[in-house]
Amino acid sequence: MRASVLREIGGPFSVEQIDLAPVPSGSIRVRLAASGVCRSDLSVVRGVIPQAFPTVLGHEGAGVVVEVGDAVTAVTAGDHVILSCVAPCRVCAACLRGEIELCEHGMDHAFGPAYATSASGGEVYAAFGLGTFAEETVVPASAAVVIDREFPLDLASLIGCGVVTGVGAVLRSARVAPGETVAVIGCGGVGLSAVQGARVAGAARIIAVDTVASKLDRAVKAGATDVVDAGASEPIDAVRALTAGAGVDHAVEVVGLSATILQAYGMARRGGTVTIVGAGSFDDMVSISAMQLMADAKTVRGCVYGATDPARDFPVLLDLARRGAIDLEQLVTQRIDLDELDEAFTAMDAGSVARSLVVFE
């Protein structure tokens, strides 16, 4: 089968023939219909997120189950599924607390052995344990959520990372209440999903912050009531000016840089909440004074995978999409083939796309 293989940090991608390993007893083989191109994949390309090479990237996918392992009972061949990069065990302390996204074994598959071999020789690893930039993949059965076969698989794939992370950050992590104010910093695929989540939550004012005009235009279509061009004005001052000087109830950071995290902190009102969604680098440190932390009484929290449970929340998001409460098609800027990934990452880096979607069928 075809897969887009990244052999070293910095790329480029090469479309190769690979052979998947046999399906283990607790796993399934899935024929991919589509895969979104996420900024976390770009972080692997740049070496910010560690990964064994050569690797097949992609972790935002949906497809059809073609084979199941001996021990699998909840999924059958022919099922349509959305893949999750978290494969929860359901029995560890985090899972029993209801913090499924923090499962102690939820990412074991991402750091396991190679999942395939290249026709040209050598082992190949699946990034994030999914490797959805390929026509097929093998994943733990717990990393798949069965969905209605009538729902379009290309749009369903977006729910697997960008949508569940952005909407979940607002509804499950920040828990935005009707009438509250929200600022979203970074209006790519995840940020636009956060804007839509704030709209679903009934936020009275949703302020989108970015440096790219086209992203701000898309944010307005997604439900932003106001926009701030962070390249043209001081963003903290601009957000505070829109909130009578007080700041927002919730600031959601979807970039993953210390500079924008500090902006989010500055935009939140005293006693407000700062939710950090962006995946930054290990050596990018954030410095906030001890006096500020005490006197501002703000809550600063990280948010992993939207603080969601895939089995619970994927169906909820599908229902919201069916009813038009969230617009998945709006997130798709372009549909591409495997051999166009280099260009897709360039476009993402330039900020000219919300989501590129690799479509297999």
Side-chain angles (χ1 to χ4, degrees), residues 32-255:
L32 275 303
S35 174
V37 181
C38 179
R39 183 162 288 273
S40 295
D41 295 311
L42 181 60
S43 293
V44 176
V45 174
R46 290 176 167 170
V48 174
I49 294 178
Q51 172 61 42
F53 288 89
T55 186
V56 175
L57 294 180
H59 59 280
E60 187 178 83
V64 180
V65 178
V66 294
E67 183 182 351
V68 300
D70 294 339
V72 176
T73 58
V75 183
T76 61
D79 282 344
H80 288 203
V81 294
I82 301 174
L83 301 184
S84 164
C85 59
V86 177
C89 71
R90 305 286 175 181
V91 296
C92 71
C95 285
L96 294 177
R97 287 195 302 269
E99 296 174 335
I100 303 301
E101 77 282 4
L102 303 182
C103 173
E104 296 169 13
H105 301 288
M107 294 296 291
D108 286 357
H109 62 302
F111 301 101
Y115 86 132
T117 55
S118 171
S120 60
E123 296 180 324
V124 179
Y125 295 85
F128 302 97
L130 298 183
T132 57
F133 292 164
E135 292 175 330
E136 295 187 6
T137 189
V138 173
V139 301
S142 57
V145 176
V146 178
I147 64 170
D148 182 352
R149 297 189 186 193
E150 298 302 314
F151 197 92
L153 281 168
D154 60 339
L155 297 179
S157 68
L158 301 172
I159 288 174
C161 180
V163 174
V164 77
T165 299
V167 175
V170 172
L171 299 183
R172 299 295 191 189
S173 184
R175 298 185 180 181
V176 173
E180 291 187 318
T181 53
V182 180
V184 177
I185 304 177
C187 297
V190 177
L192 292 175
S193 296
V195 169
Q196 293 202 48
R199 177 168 49 78
V200 170
R205 178 160 248 164
I206 306 168
I207 305 170
V209 184
D210 209 299
T211 59
V212 180
S214 61
K215 288 186 174 182
L216 294 174
D217 291 340
R218 286 194 286 266
V220 171
K221 294 176 182 176
T225 60
D226 304 272
V227 298
V228 169
D229 183 342
S233 60
E234 206 295 314
I236 297 175
D237 292 343
V239 168
R240 287 189 169 272
L242 289 168
T243 54
V248 292
D249 297 306
H250 299 275
V252 182
E253 196 275 351
V254 197
V255 180

Side-chain angles (χ1 to χ4, degrees), residues 327-347:
D327 187 346
L328 300 177
E329 186 65 51
Q330 186 184 82
L331 301 175
V332 182
T333 307
Q334 59 179 359
R335 287 172 166 81
I336 64 171
D337 192 25
L338 275 179
D339 60 7
E340 299 175 285
L341 278 170
D342 285 308
E343 294 81 1
F345 279 104
T346 298

